[in-house]
Amino acid sequence: MATETTVDARARTRDEIPAGFTWNLSDIYPGWSEWEAGLGEFDRMVAGYAELRGTLAQGPERLLKAFRLGDDLGQLSYRIWYYAGLNYDQDQRDNAANARRQKVQILFAKAAEARSWFTPELLRIPLATVRGWMNANPELAIYRFAIESTYHQQEHVLDEKGELLLSLSSRLGDVPHDIHSMLSNADIKHPVITLHDGKQATLTYGQYNALLQTNRHQPDRKAAFEAFHGTFAANANTYAAVYNGVLQRDWFLAQSRQFTSTLEAALHGNDIPPAVVENLVATAKAGTEPLRRYHRLRKRVLGLETYHAYDQLVPLIDCDRKYEYSKVVDEIVESMAPLGSDYQRGVRQAFDGRWIDVYENPGKRSGAYSAPVYGVHPYMLLNYNDTLDSVFTVAHEMGHSMHTMLSETHQPFVYSDYTIFVAEVPSTLSEMLFFDHMLSRTTDQRDRIVLLQHAIDDIVGTFYRQCLFADYELQAHRLAEQGQPITAEALSGVYFDLFKAYHGDAMTYDDPAQITWARVPHFFGSPYYVYQYATCYASSAQLIQTITSGSVAERREGVERFLALLRAGGSDYPMNLLKRAGVDLSTAAPAEAVVKQLDMRVTQLEQEIDRL
Ligand SMILES: [Zn+2]
């Protein structure tokens, strides 16, 4: 599947890219005037919605009317938002598109205000009454899960006075994240180091990562690592004080709402038992032997005297293989064969229907995403650059898009969106299937090594690192919950102990690594979030086993369960959806499937290396 391409895609302007490689936004609206008309319609619907205020208690018909009007508003909002947003993302220098995008944001803020009466008014009706209505009215019963989960949230809602106080305090709660962002971005002084060849390097985040990923001279990596972490260490006490703000806020909110722990508070919305996270981190920590084996192997292959944190990212072997997009497309379709021909047809339709904006162009938004434009189809933004990483990104985003397609086809609008807790299951499973396909096709030994390293680094980054992070967050929050002092020394101690527990004797430890906690934005911006990458990955690791091994009947059943998960969208709590797919996250089995997968990949890599 690998060929050389000669075109330097990055040099092209948008006009020079063949239309077939760009997305076709006229599937949403033929042009801006139709989009304008959409805005007008949205405005009228919002006004109509406001008229329902104060009527819900009159009976099931009124409640149903409010839900249906809410659905209409929701559906239209996808079109008006994404038509402006996708136009903007294809060239962010386009001021007109930016202005239109902001116009939608203002309209949405107005709509949110006009709809804010709904939930409080619903909750004033006793749940038993609403249940009676749902039992008698099948059309209202469609909204059962949405209604029940709204009441479930209510269990920890305070009286009016209490809620007012909490809402007044919410501005304060955002401050630690803002300070962290200012300290780490606006006010940071990026260190400059001199490399072994006499060249100077300014260690911005991008430069630092690029250096660790490409520089084959260990003293350069060491110098970069020390200077980079030194910047954070120089403000260690400030970072600790800011993080204490996060911890105290979370504990304050948890206690205010009568939760017994910050973890319980964080998981309540999705109805996830705290044991899920506790099991996850325990299983990962107990399953680090293959991780250590990988690092020992890296040390040997890289020919290093000692192996350090800054040696983890450099590739085992050099490879400048290019992957031509049009060939990759066929390979991805083929690789989805285990999921059946209907699924493959869906993937082909996405590739052929101009749903994807493939290449970079000046002004285009960086990164990649899948955008669910309800009632149209998902769109995918890529910045495809012929590297192996970008190949896997295509497979990843296609998993998200297929999830969107299946869930929109099979669910009423209200459940067509799914939570982050399940979102990364189809995307990571899609990557795993594609990897299996690639490895089975690749005979060149160096290519096989590159592929295996990609898969292993993916497991390390998406599972092990996120579990370590989740463990750190859990322990740090417990310090606050137990009224322990929270100092830079205490936080560095928690982080460093965990880092050592994961890597054992496979690494030589350097003091600057202790401060790593200070530079992870998620810790400051969205606590108890990263574990979901790990639970999703673990779910995929278990699902792919059932999809690709066992008897034909077992495999068929595994595929059916997986597709049922995708079709289910957000129609139930994520734990329930996953359980029906055969993944029980309250047990150690899913995380153990990842440990097993890593063990197998490291063994394969060892064999390939020994043969080389
Ligand atoms: Zn994703």
Side-chain angles (χ1 to χ4, degrees):
M1 67 159 296
T3 56
E4 299 298 318
T5 76
T6 49
V7 192
D8 183 5
R10 265 167 302 181
R12 287 186 297 188
T13 66
R14 201 167 170 79
D15 294 341
E16 290 163 341
I17 298 171
F21 296 114
T22 64
W23 55 26
N24 178 13
L25 299 181
S26 67
D27 288 347
I28 310 177
Y29 286 117
W32 288 111
S33 58
E34 288 82 359
W35 172 81
E36 284 283 359
L39 294 191
E41 196 190 342
F42 187 83
D43 226 8
R44 282 191 295 281
M45 276 156 94
V46 169
Y49 194 88
E51 280 170 22
L52 293 173
R53 185 178 189 159
T55 67
L56 293 191
Q58 289 172 14
E61 292 76 24
R62 308 302 294 185
L63 185 58
L64 180 60
K65 192 169 177 196
F67 268 115
R68 285 189 168 162
L69 198 48
D71 287 354
D72 293 344
L73 271 168
Q75 294 184 28
L76 185 55
S77 68
Y78 276 98
R79 284 175 180 251
I80 58 178
W81 168 250
Y82 279 116
Y83 190 68
L86 301 181
N87 261 296
Y88 173 64
D89 283 351
Q90 70 188 27
D91 186 354
Q92 298 190 332
R93 300 167 307 174
D94 183 345
N95 277 274
N98 191 17
R100 284 166 173 144
R101 191 174 139 269
Q102 290 183 29
K103 210 167 155 181
V104 182
Q105 285 172 327
I106 294 163
L107 199 60
F108 281 0
K110 213 174 110 185
E113 226 180 282
R115 299 177 67 177
S116 64
W117 56 270
F118 176 80
T119 302
E121 191 173 319
L122 170 66
L123 292 173
R124 276 197 293 276
I125 309 170
L127 179 57
T129 306
V130 181
R131 279 185 179 148
W133 293 352
M134 289 192 283
N135 292 340
N137 186 330
E139 288 174 311
L140 185 63
I142 291 173
Y143 298 93
R144 187 179 296 275
F145 175 65
I147 289 170
E148 297 271 354
S149 56
T150 306
Y151 280 86
H152 170 77
Q153 297 281 2
Q154 178 68 4
E155 288 164 18
H156 291 267
V157 169
L158 308 181
D159 62 16
E160 215 170 306
K161 256 187 188 167
E163 283 300 318
L164 178 66
L165 270 177
L166 288 190
S167 75
L168 288 174
S169 78
S170 71
R171 287 281 175 92
L172 296 173
D174 295 337
V175 173
H177 180 220
D178 293 343
I179 302 176
H180 182 262
S181 174
M182 289 302 172
L183 195 58
S184 317
N185 298 299
D187 291 343
I188 200 162
K189 283 172 190 65
H190 296 296
V192 180
I193 58 163
T194 305
L195 304 174
H196 76 284
D197 58 6
K199 281 190 188 137
Q200 297 219 311
T202 304
L203 301 175
T204 61
Y205 296 107
Q207 286 291 324
Y208 174 68
N209 282 324
L211 195 148
L212 288 200
Q213 282 164 18
T214 56
N215 193 307
R216 293 214 168 268
H217 198 69
Q218 196 190 33
D220 283 350
R221 296 197 298 270
K222 177 178 160 55
F225 176 81
E226 285 172 356
F228 184 77
H229 287 83
T231 309
F232 290 91
N235 293 313
N237 298 307
T238 307
Y239 278 111
V242 176
Y243 192 53
N244 191 23
V246 172
L247 301 176
Q248 298 303 336
R249 175 204 60 200
D250 291 350
W251 185 218
F252 160 74
L253 287 173
Q255 290 181 100
S256 306
R257 296 196 181 282
Q258 322 281 317
F259 289 105
T260 55
S261 70
T262 51
L263 183 63
E264 196 196 342
L267 303 185
H268 179 259
N270 275 334
D271 203 31
I272 293 156
V276 167
V277 178
E278 289 158 359
N279 280 339
L280 175 79
V281 297
T283 311
K285 206 168 164 185
T288 51
E289 189 41 41
L291 177 71
R292 296 175 190 186
R293 254 174 64 220
Y294 174 55
H295 288 302
R296 283 185 213 115
L297 177 66
R298 289 180 55 83
K299 178 175 183 247
R300 175 161 71 88
V301 175
L302 294 169
L304 298 171
E305 202 68 40
T306 54
Y307 182 83
H308 302 258
Y310 44 79
D311 298 323
Q312 296 181 81
L313 298 177
V314 70
L316 291 174
I317 55 171
D318 284 317
C319 179
D320 51 7
R321 176 78 71 195
K322 302 278 182 243
Y323 299 86
E324 194 189 321
Y325 180 76
S326 50
K327 298 226 166 65
V328 166
V329 163
D330 293 335
E331 296 289 339
I332 289 181
V333 174
E334 237 177 280
S335 72
M336 298 302 146
L339 297 179
S341 50
D342 280 352
Y343 191 96
Q344 284 180 295
R345 257 192 299 281
V347 173
R348 177 62 78 185
Q349 189 190 356
F351 279 127
D352 291 350
R354 292 188 58 204
W355 298 8
I356 309 176
D357 210 65
V358 180
Y359 292 110
E360 288 179 70
N361 59 250
K364 182 170 166 178
R365 186 199 147 122
S366 63
Y369 62 67
S370 165
V373 187
Y374 190 89
V376 184
H377 53 70
Y379 281 89
M380 281 161 272
L381 178 137
L382 305 174
N383 278 279
Y384 190 84
N385 61 3
D386 297 344
T387 60
L388 188 63
D389 274 351
S390 65
V391 173
F392 276 94
T393 301
V394 184
H396 182 102
E397 298 308 331
M398 188 55 79
H400 284 311
S401 296
M402 289 302 292
H403 193 187
T404 300
M405 284 214 285
L406 287 168
S407 123
E408 286 189 7
T409 308
H410 292 89
Q411 292 299 321
F413 174 75
V414 63
Y415 306 129
S416 61
D417 196 11
Y418 39 80
T419 63
I420 169 81
F421 199 85
V422 288
E424 295 301 337
V425 175
S427 54
T428 48
L429 190 123
S430 186
E431 284 193 71
M432 289 175 194
L433 280 177
F434 183 62
F435 171 83
D436 285 348
H437 175 80
M438 294 270 281
L439 194 68
S440 71
R441 288 294 187 91
T442 306
T443 48
D444 181 282
Q445 216 138 20
R446 294 179 70 84
D447 284 343
R448 289 179 66 82
I449 290 171
V450 170
L451 264 176
L452 283 161
Q453 189 190 339
H454 179 93
I456 291 170
D457 288 344
D458 200 38
I459 299 173
V460 173
T462 317
F463 182 78
Y464 283 95
R465 188 177 304 129
Q466 307 310 328
C467 287
L468 191 161
F469 283 178
D471 208 337
Y472 167 81
E473 288 194 289
L474 199 54
Q475 292 190 41
H477 278 85
R478 280 184 183 152
L479 290 178
E481 290 165 10
Q482 293 159 2
Q484 302 282 331
I486 289 152
T487 60
E489 207 174 300
L491 296 173
S492 294
V494 169
Y495 187 84
F496 214 25
D497 285 350
L498 271 170
F499 191 67
K500 288 175 181 168
Y502 269 64
H503 299 93
D505 62 359
M507 205 176 272
T508 302
Y509 298 96
D510 308 283
D511 280 345
Q514 293 185 50
I515 195 73
T516 304
W517 59 269
R519 67 175 179 88
V520 179
H522 274 114
F523 292 164
F524 295 82
S526 32
Y528 292 128
Y529 183 89
V530 294
Y531 82 92
Q532 300 177 108
Y533 295 123
T535 47
C536 281
Y537 201 89
S539 303
S540 294
Q542 206 184 10
L543 282 165
I544 197 147
Q545 278 181 3
T546 57
I547 287 172
T548 57
S549 58
S551 69
V552 176
E554 281 167 336
R555 270 183 275 168
R556 196 178 302 139
E557 200 200 313
V559 169
E560 258 326 298
R561 285 175 158 209
F562 171 69
L563 294 177
L565 170 72
L566 272 52
R567 291 184 198 120
S571 58
D572 200 349
Y573 288 117
M575 286 280 288
N576 298 343
L577 295 175
L578 284 165
K579 213 175 249 177
R580 268 179 255 147
V583 178
D584 186 354
L585 284 168
S586 65
T587 69
E592 278 166 358
V594 185
V595 177
K596 215 172 119 190
Q597 199 185 57
L598 180 62
D599 191 63
M600 179 176 75
R601 297 284 175 241
V602 173
T603 303
Q604 285 173 311
L605 182 62
E606 282 167 347
Q607 289 163 353
E608 296 292 342
I609 300 260
D610 288 343
R611 240 179 270 156
L612 191 72

